[in-house]
Amino acid sequence: MARQRRSSGLPTRQQILDFIAGSDDPAGKREIARAFGLSGADKIALKTLLADMADEGLIDSAPGRAFHQAGGVPKVTVLRVTDVDDSGQAWAVPERWESDVPEPRLRVLERQGRGSALGVGDRILARTEQRGSGYAAHPMKKLLKGSELVLGVVHQEGEKGYWLRPVEKKERRELPISELGPAQAGDLVLAEKTGRPPRLTARVSQVLGDPFAPRSFSLIAIHKHGIPHEFPEAVTEEAARVAGQALGEREDLTHIPIVAIDPADARDHDDAVWAAPDEDPANKGGWKVIVAIADVSFYVRPGSALDKEARKRGNSVYFPDRVVPMLPETLSAHVCSLKEGEDRAALVCHLQVTKHGQLKSSRFTRARVRIAANIAYEDAQAAIDATVGQERIEVSSPTCSMPEIEADAPPVPPALVDGTLKPLWACWRALFEAREKRGPLELDLPERRVVLDEKGRIASVAPRERLDAHKLIEDYMIAANVAAARALEAKKAPVMYRDHEPPGREKLVALKDYLATFGVEFALGQVVRPSTFTHIIERVRATAGGADILPQIMEQILRTQSQAVYSPQNTGHFGLALGSYAHFTSPIRRYADLIVHRSLVRAYGLGEGGLTDGEAQAMDVTGELISQLERRAMEAERDTLDRYVAAYLSERVGDLVDCRITGVQPFGFFATVEGLGGDGLVPVSTLGREYFRYEETSHSLVGEESDERFTLGRRLKLRLVEANPVSGGLRFALPDAASAPRRGERRGRDEGKKRPAQGRRGRPANIRGGRR
């Protein structure tokens, strides 16, 4: 392209866009400066202008600092093949894509020949061109696939032989180590697989330390699942910079004693609540409620380094020994966190709640709040329980003065109990009444809680207690989430819904067959509602011996549910029995909530930091991405809990432990330790000399001679044979079983067939409302 000279000064934004679009070669700052005849100070000014255009969403930069129009594809870039259709046509997407708009799908134009020489997963360097509304790619070079990393422990055989033992439970093959580097036997390492099957070797790329040391169990999960756990310098610098900005003009709510009720060890306080009787005569007997949520969108602006990193992470990940936050701690644990006595920026949901718990009205404002107290769930519950003997809860003035907390004061000062907690509980009774009438899915399945001592060692593993204080906060959060979704729908604004679809027919058929083994009827063809499953639970609980089988019935009902996802298309939330639902209440730790905040800011003209057009166009892609990242976080958290449980049980290898069967397959059954969790396999080969057949409908292994049944949910004592803290794997055997498989074993007829997993894996644990 010929040089475009201007009489003086910099080119306009449009001239730069026209040049980039018309250039046959990648256009970087040097090429743009040369094209417009810039030198000296103008080059410095051009650099600033290009940075501004990138911040405004007009251009993106490709690797090597070549620019292209935002949402476009660089002239030369690396692509990843995602599909080869029946005609042999290959399709690819950019390997790196940081624009707000969905990544484009490029048609790969190969030389004429017999079909595509490319396969799914291949990487190519290609020259791209726009054709009509789409893009085409001309391959220049086929690149090596990205190195496959494996996490494992180094062990030594003989004097010079070192092998890598993978930590993944399913990976049983050990790899010879070709390059050990500084690693030593016993080290936890990251290694690259090299060579080709069957001659694969491992090259150590990073030493992570002692696999049995405190904090190593979460570190294993972080590396195994590829969770970003260190913030780039540009992100932390930006966090420090935005943390100092003034709160600006906001509704002043600092006089209202709003409280944050959280886990005792919480550091990121997203939400705080307050309630008082409503003086509005049109809402007689009702309540006015404030749900104050950290105003993260005020600090994390679209397209910023903070925003890109938050989107990349999707959510915070919580382990027993650490939190991997979505935002740097400057924001997540300090400036955004709603801390006692500190003025904080909040996006506030003002609610009117009727005396029967219905949402009468809502409005959203940006406000300045000053939290009266950060209260642990247990302390809030204890404070309310102490008032049970009183005849009635007296509700004080909604603007009671802020209490001064003395050194020897109780965990919750009496003024806060009377002025804030009692009204909160009274209003919650109305919300709870509405919840019961709505009939959501209620499954009383305990969560495990790992308690560590001051040195990071395991002190205990026990079910997590669920208090009314937990339910109270959950119901206030659900109310605010519903209000946010409805407020955006009223403005026809983009909504990132939290969708939970009803169970599919195939899963309902499997549930019907399973319930039939307990003599419980379940009719297909009926309109399935959450209350349908609640009625099943009630019927089982009312039968003789129902309490013994109730946990496995509830687990099977949970497995029947679909996974909850994020999407701009509304399908309702089946589990909560709600027609419209979005996550609004946890923007410090969930990117979905940040999107909802931005949409509210834009829709209701609440100031800067609103949703951009690019973000609105990319809602589908963003929803898919953050749903995947949520599942990644859940798997990492679950894997880490399994490792802690295995470490806790490692001193009991050889003991008999109380177990319950959680999954049955043709090759054996899985069992979990009562009260602790963790899954371990009992292979069918260790069940004795008789043949056991697999009954899929009843999820059972049945002995042909003895008719002994190993059925889902059965409680039994098993011997703990192995507890591996590094993999999190457990292995059990019957109390009198030989340790080795029997000779000449007769294998079940169904062992070679693929069956859907019946174990804990895949259980949709993300359907609970409010904080989930």
Side-chain angles (χ1 to χ4, degrees):
M1 176 175 284
R3 178 175 295 186
Q4 304 180 26
R5 292 191 178 275
R6 300 186 71 229
S7 57
S8 63
L10 294 173
T12 65
R13 284 167 167 75
Q14 188 58 52
Q15 286 175 316
I16 291 176
L17 291 175
D18 290 343
F19 172 76
I20 292 172
S23 175
D24 295 329
D25 299 307
K29 181 169 69 73
R30 181 182 300 174
E31 288 74 24
I32 296 172
R34 185 184 301 119
F36 290 95
L38 304 180
S39 61
D42 283 345
K43 284 188 177 181
I44 299 174
L46 175 65
K47 182 178 180 181
T48 302
L49 175 59
L50 292 172
D52 289 343
M53 291 177 68
D55 291 340
E56 293 164 9
L58 295 175
I59 57 174
D60 293 323
S61 62
R65 300 303 296 167
F67 293 97
H68 55 280
Q69 197 160 346
V73 181
K75 301 292 184 184
V76 177
T77 190
V78 177
L79 304 175
R80 176 172 47 85
V81 178
T82 57
D83 185 34
V84 179
D85 62 27
D86 293 340
S87 67
Q89 175 63 58
W91 299 86
V93 297
E95 186 168 63
R96 289 183 54 194
W97 188 253
E98 298 181 358
S99 175
D100 287 337
V101 302
E103 63 183 9
R105 191 166 178 252
L106 292 87
R107 183 178 182 181
V108 181
L109 302 178
E110 299 179 74
R111 293 180 180 179
Q112 295 295 323
R114 296 183 179 180
S116 176
L118 299 172
V120 173
D122 283 344
R123 298 168 68 242
I124 57 172
L125 180 67
R127 185 179 295 277
T128 67
E129 63 172 332
Q130 189 161 7
R131 291 193 172 186
S133 59
Y135 287 90
H138 302 274
M140 300 167 61
K141 182 180 180 182
K142 188 173 180 179
L143 306 174
L144 293 175
K145 290 187 179 181
S147 300
E148 185 178 356
L149 294 177
V150 60
L151 191 67
V153 178
V154 176
H155 71 103
Q156 186 175 7
E157 291 186 3
E159 294 184 2
K160 296 183 179 180
Y162 288 91
W163 293 73
L164 185 71
R165 183 173 294 157
V167 302
E168 176 62 46
K169 294 180 188 178
K170 298 177 182 178
E171 183 65 68
R172 297 185 178 276
R173 180 179 178 182
E174 297 183 3
L175 299 174
I177 295 176
S178 58
E179 293 183 31
L180 185 64
Q184 299 177 8
D187 281 347
L188 176 68
V189 300
L190 268 177
E192 296 179 32
K193 285 185 178 179
T194 58
R196 295 185 176 183
R199 297 182 179 179
L200 283 174
T201 62
R203 181 172 59 233
V204 174
S205 59
Q206 185 178 355
V207 179
L208 302 178
D210 180 359
F212 298 99
R215 295 173 63 86
S216 284
F217 299 147
S218 58
L219 188 64
I220 290 171
I222 287 167
H223 284 279
K224 173 187 169 185
H225 293 280
I227 296 173
H229 64 292
E230 295 178 348
F231 287 99
E233 186 176 350
V235 174
T236 55
E237 288 177 352
E238 184 173 279
R241 185 169 64 253
V242 302
Q245 64 191 31
L247 299 186
E249 291 295 322
R250 293 173 172 267
E251 181 183 19
D252 188 356
L253 300 178
T254 55
H255 61 289
I256 295 180
I258 306 172
V259 296
I261 304 176
D262 290 294
D265 57 353
R267 298 185 65 194
D268 50 353
H269 303 281
D270 288 278
D271 55 85
V273 290
W274 173 86
D278 195 354
E279 303 94 345
D280 185 352
N283 190 28
K284 188 175 181 180
W287 302 87
K288 54 185 180 182
V289 173
I290 288 176
V291 180
I293 306 299
D295 191 359
V296 176
S297 63
F298 178 67
Y299 296 100
V300 182
R301 302 295 173 87
S304 64
L306 276 166
D307 179 52
K308 290 177 180 178
E309 185 68 19
R311 189 176 188 269
K312 176 182 174 183
R313 294 176 178 230
N315 45 253
S316 298
V317 188
Y318 294 85
F319 300 110
D321 61 341
R322 75 176 85 199
V323 176
V324 180
M326 183 180 79
L327 300 172
E329 288 198 2
T330 303
L331 298 180
S332 63
H334 298 290
V335 174
C336 291
S337 188
L338 304 182
K339 290 187 171 184
E340 179 177 332
E342 301 284 346
D343 281 14
R344 289 291 186 258
L347 189 58
V348 172
C349 176
H350 297 265
L351 297 171
Q352 273 190 307
V353 177
T354 71
K355 62 182 179 180
H356 297 298
Q358 302 296 327
L359 298 186
K360 180 176 174 63
S361 69
S362 68
R363 65 185 178 90
F364 291 83
T365 65
R366 271 182 156 160
R368 179 191 298 264
V369 299
R370 187 179 302 147
I371 303 306
N374 293 113
I375 307 173
Y377 283 116
E378 295 79 6
D379 292 339
Q381 189 67 54
I384 286 296
D385 289 347
T387 70
V388 169
Q390 300 175 6
E391 290 185 7
R392 61 188 294 270
I393 290 180
E394 296 289 344
V395 178
S396 66
S397 167
T399 57
C400 66
S401 60
M402 304 284 280
E404 292 186 6
I405 301 176
E406 300 177 2
D408 57 350
V412 185
L416 269 184
V417 175
D418 293 335
T420 302
L421 291 191
K422 285 183 179 180
L424 278 171
W425 249 261
C427 178
W428 172 60
R429 292 192 187 99
L431 290 172
F432 189 75
E433 176 189 337
R435 179 189 180 103
E436 291 289 284
K437 186 176 180 180
R438 199 173 73 237
L441 181 61
E442 301 282 3
L443 297 174
D444 186 18
L445 292 169
E447 298 180 15
R448 291 174 290 169
R449 179 168 180 258
V450 175
V451 179
L452 306 179
D453 63 18
E454 66 280 357
K455 294 184 178 180
R457 298 170 304 193
I458 306 165
S460 66
V461 182
R464 188 185 299 274
E465 187 178 13
R466 185 158 167 78
L467 306 170
D468 279 352
H470 293 97
K471 299 174 186 177
L472 173 140
I473 291 299
E474 182 175 288
D475 281 336
Y476 278 111
M477 297 305 107
I478 290 173
N481 288 337
V482 170
R486 291 178 181 175
L488 290 172
E489 289 171 343
K491 289 284 190 177
K492 294 183 171 53
V495 187
M496 184 62 76
Y497 290 101
R498 179 62 163 177
D499 285 341
H500 180 228
E501 295 187 357
R505 179 174 175 79
E506 184 178 346
K507 288 187 174 182
L508 292 174
V509 170
L511 178 64
K512 177 182 183 297
D513 293 340
Y514 177 74
L515 292 174
T517 64
F518 296 97
V520 179
E521 293 185 0
F522 176 62
L524 297 176
Q526 62 179 309
V527 177
V528 177
R529 297 184 175 89
S531 57
T532 305
F533 300 110
T534 304
H535 293 154
I536 292 172
I537 293 169
E538 291 171 350
R539 280 158 46 201
V540 171
R541 185 180 282 120
T543 61
D548 292 334
I549 64 172
L550 195 57
Q552 58 260 36
I553 294 288
M554 287 194 290
E555 285 189 358
Q556 192 63 29
I557 289 173
L558 184 57
R559 292 190 184 102
T560 303
Q561 308 307 309
S562 60
Q563 290 277 351
V565 298
Y566 294 106
S567 171
Q569 282 79 44
N570 184 23
T571 61
H573 197 295
F574 176 81
L576 293 175
L578 291 168
S580 296
Y581 192 65
H583 275 166
F584 159 78
T585 55
S586 297
I588 291 177
R589 64 185 182 90
R590 287 190 306 227
Y591 194 78
D593 303 53
L594 178 55
I595 291 291
V596 170
H597 277 228
R598 287 174 177 167
S599 194
L600 285 165
V601 168
R602 175 175 174 174
Y604 286 88
L606 300 180
E608 298 179 341
L611 196 74
T612 66
D613 290 339
E615 286 182 300
Q617 294 170 13
M619 290 282 274
D620 278 305
V621 174
T622 301
E624 285 186 24
L625 173 66
I626 58 181
S627 296
Q628 293 170 3
L629 295 176
E630 179 193 36
R631 288 192 289 273
R632 178 181 73 177
M634 289 166 56
E635 290 173 8
E637 291 168 357
R638 187 178 62 207
D639 286 354
T640 301
L641 278 176
D642 285 349
R643 290 186 177 92
Y644 273 106
V645 168
Y648 188 66
L649 290 171
S650 61
E651 296 180 359
R652 297 186 60 187
V653 170
D655 291 353
L656 292 179
V657 291
D658 293 318
C659 297
R660 181 166 52 85
I661 296 177
T662 56
V664 182
Q665 291 289 309
F667 52 78
F669 63 83
F670 291 94
T672 187
V673 180
E674 291 275 43
L676 290 180
D679 272 346
L681 177 67
V682 180
V684 70
S685 59
T686 66
L687 298 183
R689 302 195 64 83
E690 70 175 309
Y691 171 73
F692 280 79
R693 70 178 184 276
Y694 173 59
E695 290 185 355
E696 185 175 11
T697 55
S698 64
H699 304 303
S700 302
L701 286 170
V702 184
E704 284 195 342
E705 298 171 11
S706 64
D707 202 38
E708 182 172 11
R709 305 178 72 88
F710 295 99
T711 303
L712 193 66
R714 175 181 167 183
R715 288 180 166 85
L716 71 172
K717 283 191 178 294
L718 295 174
R719 191 174 302 282
L720 182 61
V721 176
E722 180 185 351
N724 187 336
V726 176
S727 69
L730 304 176
R731 190 160 58 88
F732 300 108
L734 297 181
D736 56 351
S739 59
R742 62 190 183 279
R743 270 188 171 182
E745 64 179 305
R746 181 183 174 191
R747 303 186 66 81
R749 300 186 190 97
D750 299 316
E751 285 191 33
K753 298 180 182 178
K754 290 185 178 179
R755 301 286 187 186
Q758 301 297 329
R760 174 184 47 74
R761 301 164 182 80
R763 136 180 170 168
N766 64 348
I767 64 171
R768 182 174 292 163
R771 303 215 165 187
R772 299 299 295 177

